[in-house]
Amino acid sequence: MEATSHDEFREFVAMRSTALLQLAVLLTGGDRHAAEDLLQIALMKAYGRWAHIEQPEAYVRQIMYRQQVNRWRLRRHRAETTVPVLPESGGEPGTASDSELRIALWAALGKLTKRQRAVVVLRYFEDLPEAEVAALLRCPVGTVRSTAYRSLAKLRLLVPELGPESPAEQVQSLSYTPKEVQG
C-alpha cells in the first residue's frame, strides 16, 4: 500500500471508528468484545483493498453486515452475553426513565436471534429500506418483513415499558455509550 493510501486509511479509522464500533455493538447484541472483533475484521478486509474503495464507510459497513450474517449462518452458537441488571429506580413505581428503557432495550436486543437483531439494526437503526436489507443479508424481502415483524413483537413482549411508542422508534434513538454496555 502506498504511503498516501496508508495515511488515508489511518485518518478514516481515527475519524469513523467510534460510529463503526457503535454499529458493531448493536449487530453483536451488546457484546463489546465481539463488536471489537467484528470491526477489526472489517477494517482488515478493507485495508487490503483500500486503494480501490470509492465509498470507504459504506464498504466497511457492508463487510460488517456480511461478516455478522456469516456468523449466524455458520450456526456457531455461543451463549448470549447478558447486560447488567436494571438499577433500582428512584422515580415513581411503574414508570421508567429514559435510561432504564435504554438498558431494557439493550437487554432485549441481546435476547433476539442474530438474524432478528441484524434485521432490526439494519432496518431501524441504520434506516435502510427493506430491499437493501434483503440484499445485504442475501435473503428475500418477505423474509426481512416477517423477521422485522416478529422481532418488533418480541421486543414489545420483552420490554412492556415501551408503552405506545414503537420499539422501532426506540431502536432508532438508541446510541452506544460504554457505561450502558459495560455496566
Side-chain angles (χ1 to χ4, degrees):
M1 179 180 281
E2 296 177 18
T4 57
S5 293
H6 182 73
D7 291 340
E8 288 173 4
F9 180 78
R10 293 185 78 178
E11 183 179 321
F12 170 78
V13 170
M15 302 255 321
R16 299 304 304 154
S17 61
T18 303
L20 292 171
L21 181 59
Q22 178 180 351
L23 174 63
V25 168
L26 289 171
L27 286 172
T28 59
D31 184 345
R32 183 169 170 101
H33 298 292
E36 289 171 351
D37 291 344
L38 180 63
L39 179 58
Q40 182 75 21
I41 290 168
L43 291 174
M44 286 182 353
K45 289 182 176 186
Y47 182 79
R49 301 211 16 94
W50 192 255
H52 307 289
I53 300 172
E54 292 179 22
Q55 296 177 344
E57 185 159 355
Y59 189 83
V60 171
R61 285 174 179 262
Q62 187 168 6
I63 292 171
M64 288 170 48
Y65 302 145
R66 289 189 175 161
Q67 186 66 31
Q68 188 62 19
V69 167
N70 287 340
R71 284 183 179 180
W72 52 257
R73 278 198 175 147
L74 292 175
R75 304 240 189 264
R76 289 186 190 162
H77 296 289
R78 297 185 326 189
E80 292 286 332
T81 304
T82 58
V83 295
V85 177
L86 291 174
E88 289 187 23
S89 167
E92 296 178 32
T95 62
S97 69
D98 284 346
S99 61
E100 289 173 331
L101 283 175
R102 293 170 67 127
I103 292 170
L105 192 55
W106 271 109
L109 281 173
K111 292 178 183 176
L112 295 178
T113 66
K114 292 176 183 179
R115 176 184 286 237
Q116 288 174 326
R117 191 169 44 247
V119 168
V120 168
V121 169
L122 292 171
R123 186 74 181 94
Y124 302 108
F125 181 77
E126 290 289 311
D127 201 24
L128 295 177
E130 291 170 339
E132 238 179 284
V133 174
L136 284 169
L137 299 180
R138 297 182 180 152
C139 64
V141 173
T143 300
V144 171
R145 286 182 188 143
S146 63
T147 302
Y149 177 81
R150 287 187 194 109
S151 302
L152 293 178
K154 188 171 183 178
L155 285 175
R156 284 184 189 98
L157 287 174
L158 293 171
V159 189
E161 300 90 7
L162 288 175
E165 190 170 355
S166 163
E169 293 168 3
Q170 288 289 328
V171 170
Q172 287 173 331
S173 68
L174 190 65
S175 64
Y176 163 76
T177 56
K179 287 183 183 178
E180 290 174 342
V181 175
Q182 296 177 348

